[in-house]
Amino acid sequence: MYKISEFAEITGLTKETLRYYAEVNLLEPAYIDPHNKYRYYDDGSYFLAILLGKLRRFGFTIQEMISVMEDESFYHLEDLLIQKRENIQHKIEDLREQTEEIDDFLESGREDENDD
């Protein structure tokens, strides 16, 4: 069993994040000491914590993460990851288009300056 500070260190999640995840029922401690209210996590929690860290890094919302965790078989996880990847690729394309538009706009302003 790991205290919350130890578990935070090995998973890369902050203590505050772990507390929040417990509050929204994403990742509850394996044990809470009834006397001092210390939270303890076990090895089984480790995989879930790493998964949640990855999902957060991939841009999943809390609601999306909850839906993944509610599907304990993770049956739909691959589909969700593929969909998230497609969304990211669309955003990348949109950002490329925006940078091209900015470049074009800047260039048109420079041409106007040169005409003076």
Side-chain angles (χ1 to χ4, degrees), residues 31-77:
Y31 174 73
I32 299 176
D33 188 304
H35 302 293
N36 58 23
K37 304 294 184 214
Y38 284 4
R39 299 163 188 253
Y40 293 92
Y41 294 85
D42 60 11
D43 290 334
S45 304
Y46 178 78
F47 166 76
L48 297 175
I50 296 301
L51 175 60
L52 289 170
K54 288 285 187 193
L55 294 178
R56 184 176 67 180
R57 172 78 179 105
F58 298 156
F60 277 63
T61 65
I62 291 296
Q63 193 55 48
E64 289 170 328
M65 291 164 66
I66 289 170
S67 115
V68 167
M69 299 308 278
E70 285 175 347
D71 178 16
E72 292 178 3
S73 69
F74 301 109
Y75 182 75
H76 298 287
L77 181 56

Side-chain angles (χ1 to χ4, degrees), residues 4-5 7-9 11 18 21 25-26 32-33 38 51-52 59 62 65-67 76 79 83 85 89 107 113 115:
I4 192 170
S5 57
F7 196 67
E9 189 174 323
T11 61
L18 289 169
Y21 285 176
N25 299 318
L26 267 174
I32 299 176
D33 188 304
Y38 284 4
L51 175 60
L52 289 170
I62 291 296
M65 291 164 66
I66 289 170
S67 115
H76 298 287
D79 293 336
Q83 182 181 20
R85 186 177 191 281
Q89 289 191 317
E107 188 59 35
E113 288 175 6
D115 290 343

